[in-house]
Amino acid sequence: MAKAARIVATGSYLPERILTNKDLEQMVDTSDEWIFSRTGMKERRIASSNEFTSDMGCKAAQMALERSGISAQDLDLILVATITPDYVFPSTAALIQSTLKAPQAAAFDFQAACTGYVYGLAIAKGFIEGGVYKNILLIASEKLSSIIDYKDRNTCVLFGDGASAAVIRDSGPGLLIKQTSLGADGGVANLLMLPGGGCRQPATLESVEKGLHYLSMEGKEVFKHAVRRMQSAAIHCLDLAGLAQSDIDWLIPHQANERIIDAIAKRFEIDEAKVFKTVHKYGNTSASGVAIALDELLDEKDIGKGDNLLLVAFGAGFTWGAAILTRAEI
Ligand code: UT7
């Protein structure tokens, strides 16, 4: 019988330091009122100067592995979704493979920005259901504070750091990755990007002076695309799975802005209490956002047999995607 990929355990790590809206008032011309009313954010976590994407990813992974009942030695593959890797190369996944002591595991990074975790679920599902691997560790980890200009009020209030991980296996109890749907449009890549640091604009004194190594975003435009693309990704994923909107028990959208989340929820006519949010306390943690929210949802709520969770995300690229997770009957 064909193997079905399932998440058997999750874990997360959030740095200790909290950056509140009040703190930001001391740094740029902004206010708690503006930030909260435009984004729903109250605070976000910031990694310390000697804490990196691989460190946070490892901590989340260790928690997920402990809960999964398998050890790092059993892992066949480590996948890391990030736009803030420790280095351009080697991969953050390879660094984590060494720290976790997972000698049998292949390891690579991939990036689909804020859609990274959803892309990762699709990659893991393909490897497991194709019979290539049995035990996969999917990590989303971001130190966005390393690419944010804390003098730019348009962006610095929005982002935070954090990591989350999932152990994905071919057997055992957990959440089946029932369906995924992915999309991309690189035609508007300039609306959300990190212009410097790649081969088009390697680091030079001039590029650093121009601030090209900071995230740049046309927020209003991105907002419109985010709502439209997340809605269509979710609908496409439901169609592929043969499910109706009413079959969704929990909606976990990308945690970029509470107004975006509410706009999507409204289009889905889902009970407000079934839309899971962490944006108020962690801000936008890019790839880690839906992953951290999923981990917290599993900690806090009872997910019954057969319940369907719909994850939906949107990010730079642009990329977008949705995944339906179903509590396995086993
Ligand atoms: O994770 C990937 C996906 N990312 C997203 O989905 C983010 C999408 N975009 C957004 O969430 C929103 O567009 C923002 C939160 C970034 C901005 O909200 P907005 O309602 O679209 O505001 P705006 O950019 O139109 O700015 C309105 C005003 C501007 O002033 P003027 O030009 O009207 O005088 C901004 O300069 O608000 C000003 N502003 C601020 N004021 C106080 C921008 N940032 C701030 C700030 N504090 N932090």
Side-chain angles (χ1 to χ4, degrees):
M1 206 178 75
K3 297 285 187 188
R6 74 240 11 238
I7 296 175
V8 299
T10 57
S12 292
Y13 173 78
L14 278 311
E16 260 172 46
R17 186 180 155 212
I18 295 173
L19 182 68
T20 65
N21 291 353
K22 288 278 170 204
D23 296 330
L24 284 159
E25 285 180 356
Q26 309 302 314
M27 297 160 66
V28 286
D29 180 14
T30 192
S31 64
D32 175 39
E33 196 281 327
W34 191 96
I35 301 170
F36 186 65
S37 64
R38 299 293 180 116
T39 71
M41 294 172 194
K42 274 286 180 193
E43 55 189 48
R44 65 289 294 144
R45 300 298 179 95
I46 303 294
S48 66
S49 58
N50 59 357
E51 185 172 44
F52 306 106
T53 295
S54 63
D55 303 315
M56 293 188 285
C58 263
K59 287 185 177 147
Q62 280 157 343
M63 182 186 282
L65 280 167
E66 253 167 52
R67 290 170 168 179
S68 77
I70 68 164
S71 75
Q73 280 78 16
D74 299 319
L75 291 172
D76 304 311
L77 177 65
I78 298 173
L79 294 168
V80 176
T82 186
I83 52 168
T84 49
D86 286 31
Y87 306 107
V88 172
F89 72 90
S91 70
T92 300
L95 303 179
I96 291 176
Q97 185 257 10
S98 165
T99 310
L100 290 180
K101 298 188 175 59
Q104 310 302 326
F108 68 91
D109 291 1
F110 63 98
Q111 68 106 328
C114 303
T115 321
Y117 189 74
V118 175
Y119 266 65
L121 291 174
I123 296 169
K125 180 176 168 66
F127 271 124
I128 285 178
E129 296 181 4
V132 181
Y133 294 125
K134 287 181 188 307
N135 300 319
I136 297 178
L137 178 64
L138 169 63
I139 298 168
S141 184
E142 300 282 18
K143 186 173 178 174
L144 292 168
S145 59
S146 68
I147 56 165
I148 296 301
D149 178 359
Y150 283 94
K151 294 191 182 77
D152 175 12
R153 70 175 183 175
N154 290 296
T155 53
C156 76
V157 303
L158 302 173
F159 297 95
D161 302 334
S164 194
V167 175
I168 302 173
R169 305 193 63 200
D170 66 347
S171 59
L175 291 170
L176 289 175
I177 306 173
K178 189 183 178 78
Q179 188 69 57
T180 59
S181 161
L182 308 177
D185 175 10
V188 276
N190 59 311
L191 295 179
L192 177 52
M193 71 189 312
L194 187 73
C199 69
R200 284 196 195 213
Q201 181 55 77
T204 60
L205 281 177
E206 198 192 353
S207 73
V208 173
E209 271 166 16
K210 283 185 181 161
L212 299 183
H213 303 269
Y214 292 129
L215 177 150
S216 89
M217 179 169 74
E218 299 288 336
K220 237 184 194 12
E221 278 306 304
V222 174
F223 190 115
K224 285 185 248 169
H225 286 271
V227 174
R228 187 160 64 88
R229 294 301 193 181
M230 281 199 271
Q231 182 188 10
S232 62
I235 289 170
H236 187 235
C237 199
L238 285 169
D239 284 349
L240 290 174
L243 294 177
Q245 287 192 20
S246 55
D247 293 322
I248 296 306
D249 298 288
W250 287 98
L251 178 63
I252 307 174
H254 176 42
Q255 308 285 317
N257 184 324
E258 191 170 23
R259 289 190 293 138
I260 296 179
I261 296 174
D262 291 345
I264 294 160
K266 214 162 130 194
R267 284 165 165 77
F268 273 83
E269 290 166 16
I270 188 168
D271 179 356
E272 214 181 299
K274 296 290 186 174
V275 181
F276 200 73
K277 298 177 190 174
T278 56
V279 64
H280 55 290
K281 51 184 179 174
Y282 305 138
N284 182 349
T285 58
S286 187
S288 312
V290 282
I292 294 168
L294 172 64
D295 179 52
E296 291 206 356
L297 173 73
L298 297 176
D299 278 351
E300 291 172 18
K301 309 285 180 193
D302 267 341
I303 310 295
K305 276 184 189 171
D307 281 0
N308 294 308
L309 280 50
L310 175 61
L311 274 61
V312 60
F314 174 87
F318 290 138
T319 58
W320 55 87
I324 295 165
L325 308 177
T326 306
R327 172 66 82 198
E329 295 294 334
I330 316 152

